[in-house]
Amino acid sequence: MAERIGSQVGGQRSEAQSAALYARARQWIPDGVSRATLLRRPNPIYVDHGEGAWVTDVDGNRYLDCNNNFTSLIMGHADPAIGQAVSAQMERGSAFALACDIEIELASLLCDRVDSFELIRFCNSGTEAVMGALKAARAFTGRPNVIKVEGAYHGTYDHAEASLASDPTNWGDAAAPATVPFASGTPDSVIEEVGIIHFNDAAGARAAIERQGDRLAAVLLDVMPSQVGLPVIEPDFIAAVREATREVGALLVLDEVISFRLGYSGAQTLLGIDPDITAVAKIIGGGFPVGGVAGREGPMSTFARAGGARAKVPSGGTFTANPITMAAGYATMKQLDHAAFARLDDMGEAVRNGLRSAISKTGVDWQVTGRGSLFKVHPHTRHIRNYRDAHLSSDEAAELEQFEHAMQAGGVYLSGGGFGCLSLAMTDDDIAHLLAAATTALPA
């Protein structure tokens, strides 16, 4: 732990120690951090510890954590049951080149909860889960191409990143959205292998799927994508994607890395979606690195050896299904019963309604979207159906950044883009603190 050189005094928040650590970090780490999502002006905040719903930084400032390590900590920080499970496992060892029975327990629990989870294969992150799901879809169908939603984030994989951050200068005509590589150096082949559709465009999705035809392996879909604005998914869009993929022999791959926190059996059960494969992560690891590819026996069989032959999709990983993650995940999921999700729903509604009330009283033209334990604040009132509706102008982006800085000054830590999530460690008093901070932070 670094020596303290600043503290919170009389309501004034110093970031001197975080700034000093950031200056040191930039000597050895590109950009000073290994996660770009931590970068904030003028410097990242360095944490000292977390407890329950709150985190305390190295300068002594406390924040209600509405980021929760990017939605992964549904129980909050230092949950006693998770801590006990991890401590018990640590006494027996942290990782082995042998199988562990706790993997079976977590796999059984998850498959019992979700109808489409006939089998599950673990990995180490949401990115790996999406990659594995797409590889399984390609292996099962014998086809190369993928379709995804413009603006949707699915991890750091070239094909899944396509058109993640497209803008009016390159996103193409509304009737034919362009495939825009995200990272420099992305192979040109991604443009040919990834088709782009608009969220909630049933006719456009059906047409794109039919055009790809027997070249299409899968449609990759997040039912509530944060960077698309957490819009409500429309039933006719779901139906069009599901029906059209079946008609051309392609698979529907759901990304529930975040949305699995929306209900006891994930968002797919709430929305009546029947996917072929689902990528999961975040909450199923109890605060430790995790991912999972789950689905129907057919496509999941691509991970299995047949008659001694190599699997169609070999998968491994030094820390895959390590007993620490499996124990933490099992301890988390056992606590997430129907009552727990009802509590999260109630808190989420209280936050969204409270934010809307504050916006109304302030008189600014802002809005709030979300569902369950997720919420997102938008500095405009455009009806949001897709990424282009949610995309911010430079002025709107600056206004939202000011709001986030003011929330941080008021003791609330959000994700970027006005996005936030709740944990079961939060109390009604914590929700009141969040709403009070937002009332102060909104533009006058």
Side-chain angles (χ1 to χ4, degrees):
M1 187 183 302
E3 182 183 355
R4 295 286 178 82
I5 61 174
S7 62
Q8 183 179 344
V9 180
Q12 297 298 312
R13 290 176 176 264
S14 167
E15 295 181 9
Q17 179 72 343
S18 281
L21 289 171
Y22 185 47
R24 282 192 63 213
R26 283 182 292 172
Q27 297 178 62
W28 298 287
I29 305 170
D31 246 353
V33 292
S34 294
R35 290 192 285 174
T37 47
L38 302 186
L39 286 173
R40 297 182 177 223
R41 290 189 292 176
N43 52 258
I45 300 300
Y46 283 78
V47 70
D48 181 88
H49 66 276
E51 182 178 4
W54 292 76
V55 291
T56 302
D57 70 16
V58 293
D59 290 289
N61 304 307
R62 295 183 72 239
Y63 306 93
L64 179 66
D65 192 357
C66 293
N67 178 304
N68 288 295
N69 195 31
F70 300 95
T71 77
S72 65
L73 301 176
I74 198 166
M75 300 304 301
H77 298 278
D79 175 74
I82 297 172
Q84 184 178 6
V86 169
S87 295
Q89 182 57 54
M90 280 295 295
E91 293 179 359
R92 302 168 62 194
S94 61
F96 308 96
L98 302 97
C100 297
D101 60 354
I102 188 62
E103 175 189 8
I104 304 170
E105 298 304 317
L106 182 57
S108 173
L109 182 154
L110 293 169
C111 289
D112 284 346
R113 286 197 178 196
V114 187
D115 287 344
S116 72
F117 289 16
E118 295 178 356
L119 295 166
I120 188 168
R121 185 94 170 194
F122 292 108
C123 52
N124 291 298
S125 69
T127 290
E128 283 188 29
V130 169
M131 292 171 67
L134 293 183
K135 290 174 75 173
R138 288 175 171 141
F140 184 70
T141 62
R143 301 170 176 184
N145 290 4
V146 174
I147 287 175
K148 62 155 296 196
V149 165
E150 184 178 64
Y153 175 73
H154 300 284
T156 55
Y157 173 46
D158 287 337
H159 291 73
E161 284 183 324
S163 295
L164 166 62
S166 55
D167 60 53
T169 68
N170 59 21
W171 62 26
D173 187 84
T179 300
V180 182
F182 181 67
S184 296
T186 299
D188 291 340
S189 61
V190 166
I191 296 174
E192 300 300 322
E193 294 167 352
V194 181
I196 303 299
I197 59 175
H198 295 299
F199 197 72
N200 281 329
D201 180 3
R206 180 177 289 278
I209 293 167
E210 291 173 350
R211 275 197 308 272
Q212 294 269 1
D214 61 9
R215 296 279 295 170
L216 182 64
V219 172
L220 175 61
L221 179 64
D222 180 343
V223 299
M224 186 170 274
S226 62
Q227 295 198 188
V228 180
L230 295 186
V232 175
I233 192 168
E234 297 171 5
D236 62 339
F237 175 64
I238 297 172
V241 171
R242 180 66 282 189
E243 291 167 6
T245 48
R246 284 183 171 142
E247 288 167 5
V248 302
L251 303 187
L252 173 57
V253 175
L254 281 195
D255 178 347
E256 287 230 54
V257 169
I258 291 177
S259 65
F260 202 63
R261 67 161 31 237
L262 293 181
Y264 182 82
S265 303
Q268 60 189 266
T269 301
L270 294 175
L271 297 168
I273 305 173
D274 180 25
D276 301 292
I277 308 176
T278 302
V280 289
K282 296 196 184 283
I283 68 166
I284 70 164
F288 289 81
V290 74
V293 183
R296 300 297 180 188
E297 183 175 0
M300 290 301 296
S301 69
T302 60
F303 293 106
R305 292 181 298 171
R310 181 169 62 91
K312 290 182 178 180
V313 182
S315 68
T318 302
F319 293 101
T320 292
N322 73 82
I324 297 295
T325 294
M326 297 293 98
Y330 187 73
T332 299
M333 298 307 297
K334 287 289 286 184
Q335 296 182 77
L336 294 177
D337 55 15
H338 291 285
F341 284 104
R343 169 63 178 161
L344 287 167
D345 287 345
D346 289 344
M347 286 194 296
E349 278 300 291
V351 167
R352 288 185 293 274
N353 289 336
L355 289 170
R356 289 175 184 130
S357 177
I359 288 168
S360 177
K361 290 176 182 177
T362 307
V364 293
D365 291 329
W366 287 34
Q367 64 178 311
V368 180
T369 58
R371 180 172 181 163
S373 56
L374 303 175
F375 65 92
K376 189 169 179 114
V377 178
H378 305 265
H380 60 79
T381 55
R382 296 185 294 276
H383 178 55
I384 300 172
R385 296 183 67 242
N386 59 42
Y387 173 68
R388 298 191 187 191
D389 297 330
H391 189 268
L392 302 181
S393 69
S394 58
D395 288 345
E396 289 169 342
E399 197 170 21
L400 185 59
E401 185 179 30
Q402 290 176 357
F403 170 76
E404 290 172 343
H405 277 293
M407 288 290 281
Q408 187 171 301
V412 177
Y413 194 79
L414 296 171
S415 302
F419 177 51
C421 71
L422 309 178
S423 74
L424 281 165
M426 291 181 178
T427 66
D428 291 345
D429 286 344
D430 294 332
I431 300 303
H433 172 81
L434 190 167
L435 296 176
T439 300
T440 301
L442 285 165

